[in-house]
Amino acid sequence: MSSLVRFLFSLAAAIAAASLLAASLRRRVQPPHLPDQLNPGPMAARNRSFVLWLHGLGDSGTANEPIRTFFSAPEFRLTKWAFPSAPNAPVSCNHGAVMPSWFDIHELPMSPGSPQDESGVLKAVENVHAMIDREVAAGIHPNNIFVCGFSQGGALTLASVLLYPKTLGGGAVFSGWVPFGSSVIERVSAEARKTPIMWSHGVADRVVSFEAGQAGPPFLQSAGMSCEFKAYPDLGHSIAREELVSLEGWIKARLKASQDKES
């Protein structure tokens, strides 16, 4: 037998011995079976609620993640958060420049009579609904799902909540607008009409005019929906700490009511 053949046989034997040793060790260190109360299944600590935050034009989901630090109440202990980023697309109001955008915006400042990209909005709504559906399929009740958004994300929030077929926990619009015409109202289901809406808008907003925000509650009223509208006199096109504190209390109250129904 040549030295090369002897070496190969020795190598194969060593590998086999190492495999047997590894298998033996794995059997020895196998964790003991714990009783159910000490070894909870995956459902024990599952998420009980879901908050989806939609950013504004040119922004990103990652940049908005610090918002969740405002929600430290116990009711949010089992809340799942999502901060998706819009796809890059050319935007008409910015001379076709490519940037993160949920749908096209034809002009800024936004006014009640500004033209809207309704087909783009409806396509973006489908994507938001897919995100919501995944959480519902994972076991989160629709009543514990909240969609929130700023500016363009606020407009998409409104559209997504109105057109979702089930009653959600709520929709929160910050400095947003109504992104489609009144013909959409006939598509709003009876269940969707029960979803509460919170709307906050700065009076000093020069990007999405305060008048564009004010057009929201009458539109929702015509759809048979309720809306809590709050104006912030000195606020421009941004989110104030006070708005987030209000949002925390608003969601917390609805989560508590939902939990009381379950118990």
Side-chain angles (χ1 to χ4, degrees), residues 31-250:
H33 174 73
L34 298 177
D36 290 341
Q37 64 267 27
L38 297 179
N39 188 22
M43 297 298 287
R46 74 180 186 186
N47 296 308
R48 298 291 299 277
S49 57
F50 177 59
V51 177
L52 175 62
W53 184 276
L54 303 173
H55 65 75
L57 177 66
D59 206 349
S60 71
T62 303
N64 285 261
E65 287 181 6
I67 286 172
R68 66 184 298 176
T69 61
F70 286 85
F71 299 79
S72 56
E75 287 82 359
F76 296 97
R77 185 172 58 87
L78 295 178
T79 297
K80 178 179 178 179
W81 291 77
F83 295 85
S85 292
N88 289 322
V91 179
S92 297
C93 68
N94 287 334
H95 308 288
V98 175
M99 62 186 63
S101 181
W102 300 110
F103 50 86
D104 196 16
I105 297 178
H106 296 292
E107 68 177 31
L108 288 177
M110 183 67 63
S111 67
S114 293
Q116 302 296 331
D117 174 26
E118 292 196 17
S119 61
V121 170
L122 295 177
K123 183 177 179 181
V125 164
E126 291 179 4
N127 293 330
V128 173
H129 286 180
M131 288 185 259
I132 296 173
D133 288 341
R134 281 197 294 271
E135 301 309 320
V136 172
I140 298 179
H141 195 284
N143 287 350
N144 292 332
I145 293 178
F146 299 83
V147 185
C148 315
F150 172 73
S151 191
Q152 187 190 42
L156 179 56
T157 291
L158 182 68
S160 300
V161 169
L162 260 65
L163 297 175
Y164 195 70
K166 300 176 183 177
T167 305
L168 297 175
V173 179
F174 296 90
S175 303
W177 68 90
V178 180
F180 36 45
S182 58
S183 61
V184 172
I185 290 177
E186 62 190 33
R187 297 178 55 181
V188 181
S189 71
E191 289 299 311
R193 294 175 199 272
K194 300 176 187 176
T195 301
I197 303 292
M198 170 186 174
W199 196 310
S200 303
H201 211 108
V203 177
D205 196 329
R206 299 292 178 263
V207 178
V208 178
S209 71
F210 183 65
E211 291 73 23
Q214 280 184 309
F219 180 89
L220 290 167
Q221 187 176 11
S222 66
M225 300 180 70
S226 63
C227 176
E228 297 177 30
F229 185 89
K230 187 172 182 179
Y232 292 80
D234 301 317
L235 183 64
H237 195 63
S238 61
I239 295 183
R241 177 186 180 88
E242 184 183 352
E243 290 179 286
L244 294 176
V245 171
S246 294
L247 177 63
E248 186 206 24
W250 189 78

Side-chain angles (χ1 to χ4, degrees), residues 8-47:
L8 291 175
F9 271 114
S10 300
L11 180 61
I15 292 174
S19 298
L20 289 172
L21 178 61
S24 173
L25 289 173
R26 280 196 297 271
R27 286 194 294 271
R28 290 181 202 171
V29 301
Q30 199 69 254
H33 174 73
L34 298 177
D36 290 341
Q37 64 267 27
L38 297 179
N39 188 22
M43 297 298 287
R46 74 180 186 186
N47 296 308

